[in-house]
Amino acid sequence: MSTTTLDSSLRHGAAADLDLGRMVEAERVHRRVFVDPDVFELEMDRIFGRSWIYVGHESQVPNAGDYFTTQVGRQPVVMTRHADGTIHVLENRCPHKGAIVCPERSGHTKRLVCMYHGWSFEADGSLAGVPVRSGYDNTCFDPTNRANGMKRLPRIENYRGFVFASLVADGPDLKTWAGEGMRGFDSVVDRAPEGRIEVIGDCFRTVQNSNWKIFIDNMSDGMHTSFVHYQTARAAKRTLEKFKIEHPGGLQVATLLAGAPDQMAKTDLVAHPNGHFDMAAFAPEPKGPDAEKYKAELIARHGEAGAQAILGQNFHNAMLFPTALMQPSLQQLRVIRPLAVDKTLLEIWVFRLKGAPDSFTSRAITAANIGNSPSNLVAADDFEAYYRVHAGLKGPESDWVRLSREANRDIAVGSSLKGSSGNSEVCMRNMYQAWRQYMTVR
């Protein structure tokens, strides 16, 4: 098929009739990957309906009876802590009429109770009580049957406190699927002197008027910072100079975004199987008495060599495709929840490193306020860029997104690919190749 015929077929064909594999090539991606509602619906089935999806952190349900609600793909779910200490992820719906059982974001209760007809459930989903149970005598309904409780998701795994779930029973286990993509999550936990982290409060929530993949695409794009964030970075630099802030935290990170493209070129980018990737940290480590005390605590726990190994590896972004983006250097996690083909919910969670000085927590909160809050300085630049990309791709005459920067220079590192510089588009190319694999496997 000629290029002209291919472009016409992709531009005008119905998504159900398309060979989705043709939408992704070695160095370009067709616009319909981002803007076609039918493609989005297939993504929700074939990616978010099958893959490992981030649910929450165990510290969000610290006590028996605690619960936290969210989504796995299209499915509302509730993460609970049972009386025996185990964590469960249940469909957030009553098996009677289908009503949402837990409408609140989070809470604590002895039993989960549906407000519609009063059915109650234990934290593991088992049916605890049905009002007027005698009405079910001599019927096919068996209140002792586990299938009549709140349904558990087919697969759930807790990796060092991070809870993931899948809507399908078959597939690789979490560790196999994540592979080297999990090293950013390992990094943030290893950096805690006590080997544990915890969520601080609730999250920032923003809705972007663009496709979810545009955000992920940007997370390995060091090239844009010199242009998109120039004014914000310059303002941050002037603020530090004027007020001589002792612990600049996120402001210091913001100043680094004003550098020329050759600055970001020094940053390592590594793409992993299944669409995962990471970008090395470029913000300097904390300094001062607290930092020295922190380092001493790591040495006491891991030894000199172990502490150096932990501190010697750090990441700015570590993406577990398709939902969880860890920022170990900033103690933050960004969670992607697609709402529609052109709307993406982004949740930003901040973590405390257990045993680390309070100044580390303050630094993380400052960075979140500056870079990720709804009234932030940095992400506002990005959101405008994402919106313009999506708006431009909606036009039927713009067929392809180009991903050729430093193509054919990728460096094999085991099963991963390292970019020849921090300006490479290797992670984007790898991500869309994984997208094609997810979308074409039936």
Side-chain angles (χ1 to χ4, degrees):
M1 180 182 293
S2 70
T3 300
T4 301
T5 304
L6 173 62
D7 289 351
S8 178
S9 172
L10 289 175
R11 185 183 304 167
H12 302 295
D17 299 328
L18 284 175
D19 177 359
L20 292 168
R22 291 189 297 146
M23 291 186 175
V24 176
E25 297 182 352
E27 297 179 23
R28 64 179 191 170
V29 179
H30 197 269
R31 70 174 189 86
R32 294 187 69 172
V33 168
F34 306 94
V35 300
D36 193 310
D38 293 328
V39 172
F40 176 80
E41 291 301 316
L42 290 174
E43 288 177 332
M44 298 307 291
D45 288 336
R46 299 180 184 180
I47 299 179
F48 291 89
R50 298 177 183 175
S51 187
W52 285 102
I53 304 299
Y54 178 73
V55 178
H57 191 265
E58 65 180 11
S59 64
Q60 292 173 272
V61 287
N63 304 307
D66 290 346
Y67 66 87
F68 169 76
T69 63
T70 185
Q71 297 263 141
V72 172
R74 295 187 181 94
Q75 179 60 50
V77 301
V78 55
M79 179 173 69
T80 63
R81 175 83 69 168
H82 191 40
D84 63 3
T86 57
I87 291 176
H88 298 268
V89 181
L90 314 172
E91 290 185 6
N92 191 4
R93 61 177 295 275
C94 180
H96 179 212
K97 295 288 187 177
I100 292 288
V101 175
C102 300
E104 301 86 3
R105 179 71 162 159
S106 61
H108 176 86
T109 184
K110 183 178 180 180
R111 284 177 174 168
L112 306 174
V113 181
C114 177
M115 59 83 70
Y116 197 12
H117 295 94
W119 286 32
S120 60
F121 309 88
E122 303 292 353
D124 65 353
S126 58
L127 184 62
V130 176
V132 195
R133 181 172 291 196
S134 61
Y136 292 98
D137 292 345
N138 302 315
T139 71
C140 64
F141 175 75
D142 178 5
T144 65
N145 186 340
R146 179 65 187 79
N148 289 323
M150 292 176 68
K151 186 177 179 181
R152 298 174 186 173
L153 266 62
R155 290 188 294 162
I156 170 179
E157 289 199 32
N158 183 339
Y159 183 85
R160 305 189 72 178
F162 300 100
V163 179
F164 292 80
S166 174
L167 295 174
V168 295
D170 299 326
D173 62 74
L174 177 64
K175 192 172 182 179
T176 300
W177 168 82
E180 288 296 304
M182 196 63 88
R183 62 184 187 170
F185 289 73
D186 287 328
S187 176
V188 74
V189 178
D190 289 341
R191 283 174 166 260
E194 296 181 10
R196 295 179 296 120
I197 65 174
E198 64 181 2
V199 169
I200 301 173
D202 205 344
C203 66
F204 291 128
R205 306 182 88 201
T206 58
V207 175
Q208 306 165 13
N209 294 314
S210 51
N211 185 263
W212 62 278
K213 295 181 295 300
I214 296 174
F215 168 80
I216 299 179
D217 188 303
N218 178 260
M219 292 300 100
S220 66
D221 187 354
M223 192 78 173
H224 81 282
T225 61
S226 304
F227 307 98
V228 173
H229 299 304
Y230 178 77
Q231 295 294 343
T232 295
R234 186 172 67 170
K237 183 177 181 180
R238 289 178 175 175
T239 300
L240 290 180
E241 292 172 349
K242 181 177 180 179
F243 295 102
K244 304 185 185 307
I245 299 173
E246 184 177 356
H247 300 293
L251 276 175
Q252 187 178 28
V253 175
T255 64
L256 300 175
L257 300 177
D262 59 356
Q263 173 182 292
M264 294 303 295
K266 302 172 185 177
T267 304
D268 286 344
L269 290 175
V270 184
H272 307 295
N274 296 322
H276 316 314
F277 62 80
D278 48 60
M279 169 189 281
F282 51 83
E285 297 280 4
K287 297 179 180 179
D290 277 355
E292 292 303 316
K293 179 183 177 182
Y294 165 74
K295 184 176 179 181
E297 290 172 342
L298 283 183
I299 292 174
R301 180 178 177 86
H302 301 284
E304 183 77 36
Q308 289 296 338
I310 290 170
L311 294 175
Q313 185 179 63
N314 201 5
F315 303 97
H316 179 66
N317 287 328
M319 181 73 212
L320 270 184
F321 185 84
T323 56
L325 182 102
M326 179 60 75
Q327 294 188 293
S329 64
L330 302 178
Q331 297 169 216
Q332 295 173 53
L333 175 68
R334 294 194 256 191
V335 183
I336 301 100
R337 309 281 188 199
L339 303 177
V341 68
D342 58 353
K343 286 195 182 299
T344 304
L345 172 64
L346 187 66
E347 300 176 344
I348 299 93
W349 300 91
V350 182
F351 292 94
R352 176 184 290 109
L353 307 183
K354 300 284 283 184
D358 289 342
S359 61
F360 280 51
T361 302
S362 298
R363 180 175 184 263
I365 293 173
T366 300
N369 287 333
I370 291 172
N372 284 323
S373 69
S375 58
N376 70 82
L377 301 176
V378 177
D381 299 332
D382 288 318
F383 292 174
E384 178 65 19
Y386 306 159
Y387 170 76
R388 294 189 189 189
V389 170
H390 193 103
L393 291 175
K394 287 171 66 175
E397 298 305 317
S398 64
D399 288 315
W400 296 96
V401 171
R402 304 284 176 181
L403 302 173
S404 296
R405 194 162 62 239
E406 300 189 17
N408 303 317
R409 302 181 198 174
D410 304 334
I411 304 163
V413 181
S415 60
S416 303
L417 290 174
K418 182 178 179 180
S420 55
S421 84
N423 290 330
S424 173
E425 291 176 327
V426 59
C427 297
M428 303 173 206
R429 290 190 290 269
N430 179 72
M431 183 185 80
Y432 292 115
Q433 291 299 325
W435 179 92
R436 179 170 63 179
Q437 180 69 16
Y438 286 118
M439 294 290 283
T440 54
V441 173
R442 298 298 181 95

